[in-house]
Amino acid sequence: MKEIKINKNKRIGKVIYFVEGDVTEVEILSHLFHTILNYEVVSYDKRIDRIIKLTSKTDKYSTVYLIPMKYSAINKIFTSQDYIDAIYKKMKDNDLLIINSFKYFIFDRDRNNNRPGAILKAIDIFKNSLDNETEINGLLLLSYPSIESFILMSKNDNRQFSCGKEIKQYSKDKYSIKDLKEDGIFLNYKNFSKLIYEIIKKDFGYEELDNMGTINKQIFEHEEIKYNKTKVYDTISLLIVSFLDLGILEIIEN
């Protein structure tokens, strides 16, 4: 694997994460970006219709916005523009810039809510974080089987699960989001790179970030084959890809 370094002072501008869940994804991303990396984080809590702001002490030019989607099903992304526009208006006072903002859709591989056809359609469309030439732009980053995979990868735990319910309970019993540290980001990417190499037979590089559609599809197909044979998934969260895309993680060529 190529050497990797973390750029804690990297200015990332305005970044928007559209997340599937109301709680865990927001807690993980808030901890990573604010507690560890000290960026400003602005999140929308749709349960109480409230904007929550965590201010940075060091970087007033970079802000991460966390927006829970209205529905957890991936196919609902395509009909969510009105909802997204409404949240944009709520965040207008917090300097949200839509144009030229990196955008990511963070979803679980949920067999109950997401049919393969809907996932593959979304993979084909949401393949770049800046511009897909569609009304709703963004990069789809899935977790198998759920976002808790990010925590396990950061702890070098490769235990496998059949569904989100199993890994959620396991993660809750064994780990705490607050225990995630800077070195966990390195370990996460190391485990990600190792598994991706096994799937695509080459190192993951910057060239993949321009169009993640092909690799996203290869990972999805690998996980489907794995599940059909063994009834469990290889534990992986593609959330870590956004850190490389934003320049927070940097690949050093030897």
Side-chain angles (χ1 to χ4, degrees):
M1 187 186 73
K2 297 178 181 179
E3 186 179 351
I4 193 86
K5 75 172 184 177
I6 189 167
N7 297 315
K8 288 193 69 174
N9 298 317
K10 173 72 175 179
R11 285 188 177 174
I12 57 176
K14 308 297 183 181
V15 182
I16 304 172
Y17 283 91
F18 301 99
V19 298
E20 175 183 345
D22 300 332
V23 180
T24 306
E25 288 89 343
V26 173
E27 290 180 349
I28 290 174
L29 287 165
S30 295
H31 181 75
L32 291 169
F33 280 103
H34 183 70
T35 305
I36 297 178
L37 300 172
N38 200 25
Y39 288 113
E40 180 173 280
V41 173
V42 178
S43 59
Y44 172 65
D45 191 332
K46 70 179 183 182
R47 298 167 299 175
I48 56 176
D49 191 24
R50 179 184 173 191
I51 303 295
I52 300 170
K53 185 174 182 178
L54 303 173
T55 304
S56 172
K57 297 178 181 178
T58 59
D59 187 350
K60 62 181 180 180
Y61 300 103
S62 302
T63 306
V64 176
Y65 298 88
L66 308 178
I67 301 176
M69 294 295 286
K70 188 174 182 178
Y71 303 104
S72 60
I74 287 176
N75 68 334
K76 294 295 185 180
I77 296 176
F78 305 104
T79 58
S80 295
Q81 187 63 62
D82 289 345
Y83 169 79
I84 291 172
D85 287 342
I87 306 304
Y88 283 163
K89 290 180 181 178
K90 291 177 183 292
M91 289 187 164
K92 188 176 180 180
D93 292 338
N94 289 282
D95 301 320
L96 174 63
L97 296 177
I98 302 171
I99 299 175
N100 297 327
S101 292
F102 291 88
K103 302 180 184 73
Y104 304 97
F105 292 96
I106 309 301
F107 276 77
D108 296 342
R109 170 54 181 118
D110 190 330
R111 301 190 75 86
N112 293 323
N113 292 337
N114 299 310
R115 298 180 65 85
I119 295 175
L120 290 171
K121 178 182 178 182
I123 284 174
D124 284 337
I125 293 175
F126 302 114
K127 53 185 182 288
N128 184 282
S129 60
L130 289 173
D131 187 11
N132 293 309
E133 299 180 351
T134 60
E135 187 175 5
I136 304 178
N137 282 308
L139 172 60
L140 177 65
L141 297 175
L142 293 171
S143 295
Y144 300 86
S146 70
I147 191 63
E148 283 76 12
S149 295
F150 187 91
I151 300 174
L152 270 65
M153 291 173 68
S154 300
K155 295 295 184 179
N156 208 28
D157 187 338
N158 59 3
R159 181 168 174 171
Q160 299 174 342
F161 303 86
S162 65
C163 63
K165 183 178 180 180
E166 286 185 0
I167 190 173
K168 288 177 187 296
Q169 187 61 54
Y170 175 83
S171 178
K172 180 180 179 181
D173 292 342
K174 192 168 183 179
Y175 302 115
S176 169
I177 293 173
K178 294 180 180 179
D179 292 335
L180 288 176
K181 307 295 182 183
E182 184 177 328
D183 60 353
I185 298 176
F186 283 105
L187 190 56
N188 193 302
Y189 188 79
K190 178 181 177 181
N191 288 319
F192 165 82
S193 297
K194 181 179 178 181
L195 182 56
I196 294 302
Y197 186 87
E198 293 175 0
I199 295 172
I200 68 174
K201 309 305 179 187
K202 67 174 185 176
D203 290 327
F204 187 90
Y206 288 116
E207 61 273 14
E208 274 72 45
L209 297 174
D210 291 332
N211 184 346
M212 275 286 294
T214 299
I215 285 185
N216 245 337
K217 189 177 295 185
Q218 288 177 296
I219 296 169
F220 177 76
E221 290 173 349
H222 165 84
E223 291 285 23
E224 288 297 285
I225 292 171
K226 170 83 174 182
Y227 182 86
N228 288 333
K229 287 183 177 179
T230 66
K231 301 306 177 186
V232 294
Y233 293 102
D234 279 326
T235 301
I236 186 171
S237 172
L238 272 65
L239 170 60
I240 195 65
V241 171
S242 65
F243 285 73
L244 187 66
D245 194 31
L246 294 170
I248 297 171
L249 286 176
E250 180 182 350
I251 298 173
I252 302 173
E253 301 290 344
N254 295 323

